[in-house]
Amino acid sequence: MGALNRVFPDKQDHNISLSPSQTNVSLTPFGGNSTFEGDMDEVKRPLSARVIDSFRRDIHASVTRGSIGGRRRSYDAEAAAVATANSPLVRRLKGRHLQMIAIGGSIGTGLFIGTGRALALGGPASILIAYCLIGGMIFCTVQALGEMAVMFPVAGSFAAYSTRFIDPALGFAMGWNYLMQWLVVLPLEIVAASITVDYWSPNIRLNALWVAIFWILICCINLFGVRAYGEAEFVFSTVKVTAVIGYIILGSIINICGGPGASYLGFTYWQVPGAFNHGFKGLCSTFVTAAFAFAGTELVGLAAAETQNPRKTLPVAIKQVFWRIATFYIASVLLIGTLVRYNDERLLSGSSDYDAKASPFVISIQNAGIQVLPSVMNAVIMISVLSVGNSAIYGSSRTLAALAEQEQAPSIFRYIDRKGRPLAAILLASLLGALAFAAASTIQVELFNWLLALSGLSSIFTWGSICLAHIRFRRAWRVQGYSLDELGWQSPTGIWGSYVGFTMNALVLVAQFWTGFSPVGHEQHDTNWLVKNFFQAYLTVPIVALFFIVYKFWRRTKFVKLRDVDLFTGRRELNLKVLVAQEREERMHWPRWKKLYKFLC
């Protein structure tokens, strides 16, 4: 407990939660504003001066005293826990922001475009099964994440939980894995947005112009701070959710009544050409596409450090967001399978995996003979990819800042300005978005296939690490003498849900290895293509392993023993036993329908 005692010398009782006023460290008030904003509320200054000053470094932004690793090769995990627990990021996100952030980070190209390739490879039954299985895995994962995030709403939560509960080397690997995922997604989504414009005016020379417009828009939103990001995601996600609901209603009408000149469809396409394509291998080929479509759901946990009341809003957001996404996704893929044949040539005719012309949503509306709505759907796809790009800067910048606070990234990225923005990290993420200008070049497809390979399985590793961290947390909680009644919120699936989630993530990795080594239709390709395809499908695995092994030996990190797991730093709830007891007493008088509703929502 050396680092913890240095920061909180008089507070060693693990049953006491500290407030900023009880320490010698100036922290961001948990209510929301930065230290700078609180000091300057009564001072009237010109707008230009306030704007300029807001980008200057907050002198109280870093809570780390001394060095976590310093010149020593050993790693001080306790000091890292203090750094992430007392993050100066401002708490301005409300419950509605939190819910829409998770939806906004998920509904994008994976659903609107990626399902087309999955449908072609596996058939309608395969994508329905894949989305149901991955959806169940995500349910277990986000419940585990919610339980930990309520107790420890720390910055860079995924990597921080792995560092604290498992091994700092794994936290380092998971942090950089998640960082690379979002750094790569940003240019990919900007390119996707520019490609959607080609639907109306195909001209590759104009792609660079559209890239510049979208890039500047996304960067500006994030530079206005977390509140602007939350409001933008609320608007973007409202449009997307409305569009998906509208499509589900329209698709149901088309299926039952048919479009102009059409008739009842039902499950005709499940019979001819069939429900499955390429058998079991076709089913396995759809798992990664389904996982990519759900990627971003975990952002709700990353935003915990910037949420006004994590204990109240996180459980509600996690449960409601999952069920909304699961409903939208499963209902959508079910309809798509009844409205579009899996052997429709347009599903694989796009110039890339981000080409809206290959979207089964657009194709199904075209098949119905409706003239205007395909353009409307394409506009929704453009908004969706912009939303995911917006989330990419948020996710990458917060992860990079948290890694820097733990001295697992260059210290310059610890720069937090007076508005609570991780400015250096935001600027790096924004600059890497400039890779999107390759959209106007002839190497566009090749370049972005390799960029996508860097993050292809990142979400699987992230979700697996969350489940494993939760398993370790629950075991340490029991070993150190705590009871489940002392948890701020209990995961409905418990520790067994995390075992199921971790196992399913491992099975997805196995399925991806098989389909990467022996892809569908591999007999039609030469050896060089097969080798290239395997590395593009599985490149994430050796990169994550390299990060883990190198850091493990360089920092000489050790696997954290259960009795040594830090269950104190970052616990911000006061009188937790009393609050939980009052809430449970209230729940005892709920009718059965309300208990069921609260369990699900």
Side-chain angles (χ1 to χ4, degrees):
M1 298 298 293
L4 183 61
N5 294 338
R6 288 196 300 272
V7 179
F8 303 135
D10 300 323
K11 302 295 177 181
Q12 299 182 35
D13 184 354
H14 288 204
N15 293 319
I16 298 176
S17 297
L18 301 180
S19 66
S21 61
Q22 293 173 294
T23 71
N24 295 322
V25 183
S26 295
L27 305 176
T28 300
F30 297 144
N33 293 335
S34 69
T35 304
F36 168 78
E37 290 175 295
D39 292 341
M40 301 302 293
D41 279 343
E42 304 300 326
V43 180
K44 293 184 178 180
R45 298 174 301 140
L47 176 62
S48 59
R50 295 201 303 270
V51 171
I52 294 173
D53 284 345
S54 71
F55 287 101
R56 293 176 179 169
R57 186 166 194 160
D58 186 347
I59 60 174
H60 304 292
S62 179
V63 298
T64 308
R65 295 291 180 261
S67 178
I68 293 174
R71 296 183 179 179
R72 299 177 302 158
R73 289 179 62 184
S74 60
Y75 184 79
D76 191 340
E78 295 171 0
V82 172
T84 54
N86 297 293
S87 170
L89 298 173
V90 296
R91 293 179 173 270
R92 287 184 170 173
L93 292 178
K94 299 179 180 179
R96 64 183 179 89
H97 295 140
L98 206 59
Q99 294 180 33
M100 287 302 184
I101 282 172
I103 294 176
S106 300
I107 298 179
T109 52
L111 175 63
F112 289 126
I113 301 176
T115 46
R117 181 174 180 83
L119 177 60
L121 291 176
S126 290
I127 62 170
L128 182 61
I129 293 171
Y131 274 77
C132 288
L133 291 176
I134 297 297
M137 180 182 75
I138 295 297
F139 177 73
C140 296
T141 302
V142 296
Q143 301 304 313
L145 175 61
E147 180 175 294
M148 293 187 293
V150 168
M151 289 298 293
F152 306 97
V154 300
S157 55
F158 317 130
Y161 296 149
S162 294
T163 296
R164 178 183 293 200
F165 302 137
I166 307 174
D167 188 328
L170 183 63
F172 175 81
M174 291 301 100
W176 280 93
N177 164 69
Y178 197 70
L179 174 63
M180 286 194 304
Q181 173 187 344
W182 284 119
L183 288 177
V184 169
V185 163
L186 175 60
L188 286 173
E189 296 297 330
I190 295 176
V191 168
S194 67
I195 291 176
T196 57
V197 181
D198 292 343
Y199 181 87
W200 297 292
S201 178
N203 187 344
I204 194 172
R205 295 179 181 178
L206 292 177
N207 278 4
L209 174 62
W210 290 111
V211 164
I213 293 173
F214 298 144
W215 180 43
I216 292 172
L217 175 63
I218 291 174
C219 293
C220 288
I221 290 174
N222 280 271
L223 284 176
F224 275 107
V226 67
R227 183 64 179 270
Y229 163 74
E231 293 295 348
E233 281 306 294
F234 186 82
V235 174
F236 286 154
S237 297
T238 299
V239 172
K240 292 188 291 185
V241 169
T242 302
V244 173
I245 293 174
Y247 176 81
I248 291 173
I249 296 173
L250 175 64
S252 300
I253 295 173
I254 293 174
N255 182 275
I256 297 172
C257 303
S263 58
Y264 171 77
L265 290 174
F267 285 86
T268 301
Y269 295 157
W270 282 53
Q271 300 172 2
V272 180
F276 294 93
N277 189 23
H278 300 114
F280 183 67
K281 183 181 288 186
L283 171 63
C284 292
S285 298
T286 64
F287 281 138
V288 173
T289 301
F292 178 71
F294 278 99
T297 311
E298 72 287 340
L299 276 171
V300 69
L302 190 67
E306 296 175 89
T307 304
Q308 291 179 353
N309 189 347
R311 186 171 178 272
K312 179 180 179 181
T313 58
L314 270 172
V316 175
I318 283 174
K319 288 188 287 186
Q320 290 188 354
V321 163
F322 169 78
W323 285 111
R324 291 173 185 176
I325 292 176
T327 301
F328 298 152
Y329 274 63
I330 293 175
S332 296
V333 298
L334 175 61
L335 280 172
I336 287 168
T338 63
L339 298 177
V340 181
R341 295 182 177 90
Y342 72 68
N343 57 359
D344 192 310
E345 295 181 356
R346 290 170 291 180
L347 291 176
L348 295 175
S349 65
S351 60
S352 73
D353 290 341
Y354 289 84
D355 195 338
K357 290 190 284 294
S359 168
F361 287 79
V362 175
I363 293 172
S364 62
I365 297 174
Q366 289 175 335
N367 289 345
I370 304 174
Q371 299 299 320
V372 178
L373 286 183
S375 292
V376 174
M377 199 69 220
N378 195 68
V380 172
I381 293 174
M382 184 170 65
I383 292 174
S384 300
V385 296
L386 287 175
S387 172
V388 177
N390 190 35
S391 296
I393 291 186
Y394 177 84
S396 60
S397 62
R398 270 58 182 182
T399 301
L400 182 55
L403 287 170
E405 279 289 354
Q406 301 172 81
E407 293 199 357
Q408 293 178 334
S411 60
I412 187 175
F413 297 113
R414 290 165 56 183
Y415 188 105
I416 307 292
D417 67 18
R418 293 174 172 180
K419 286 288 186 179
R421 295 168 294 206
L423 194 58
I426 290 175
L427 291 177
L428 175 65
S430 300
L431 287 175
L432 288 179
L435 288 172
F437 284 101
S441 69
T442 56
I443 64 170
Q444 168 193 322
V445 176
E446 188 68 17
L447 173 63
F448 286 101
N449 280 342
W450 282 105
L451 285 176
L452 186 61
L454 290 173
S455 62
L457 295 173
S458 292
S459 293
I460 303 299
F461 279 101
T462 297
W463 298 333
S465 70
I466 291 171
C467 293
L468 185 59
H470 182 247
I471 293 171
R472 293 278 301 169
F473 163 67
R474 275 291 190 97
R475 294 181 63 189
W477 192 259
R478 183 187 61 188
V479 167
Q480 295 187 25
Y482 294 98
S483 68
L484 295 181
D485 292 338
E486 296 175 88
L487 291 173
W489 178 72
Q490 291 185 40
S491 164
T493 58
I495 191 173
W496 291 107
S498 294
Y499 278 113
V500 171
F502 181 80
T503 302
M504 291 184 67
N505 276 287
L507 291 177
V508 171
L509 288 177
V510 173
Q512 179 67 354
F513 181 87
W514 179 36
T515 56
F517 181 77
S518 178
V520 171
H522 69 278
E523 64 279 354
Q524 302 174 5
H525 303 285
D526 57 29
T527 303
N528 291 334
W529 184 92
L530 290 174
V531 172
K532 176 182 174 182
N533 179 78
F534 175 76
F535 277 103
Q536 287 184 344
Y538 227 66
L539 183 61
T540 307
V541 178
I543 290 178
V544 170
L546 181 64
F547 273 118
F548 175 79
I549 294 171
V550 170
Y551 196 80
K552 182 78 173 175
F553 283 97
W554 178 251
R555 284 293 194 185
R556 298 176 181 175
T557 64
K558 296 180 180 180
F559 189 79
V560 183
K561 296 179 181 179
L562 293 177
R563 66 176 180 271
D564 296 329
V565 169
D566 182 3
L567 297 177
F568 172 68
T569 308
R571 284 169 57 183
R572 298 173 178 171
E573 298 295 341
L574 297 173
N575 299 321
L576 185 59
K577 290 184 178 180
V578 175
L579 291 172
V580 172
Q582 290 175 346
E583 291 172 357
R584 289 181 178 172
E585 179 67 23
E586 181 184 349
R587 285 199 294 269
M588 290 178 61
H589 301 287
W590 286 351
R592 289 184 179 179
W593 68 266
K594 189 171 183 178
K595 291 180 180 179
L596 178 62
Y597 173 79
K598 289 294 183 180
F599 176 81
L600 298 176
C601 303

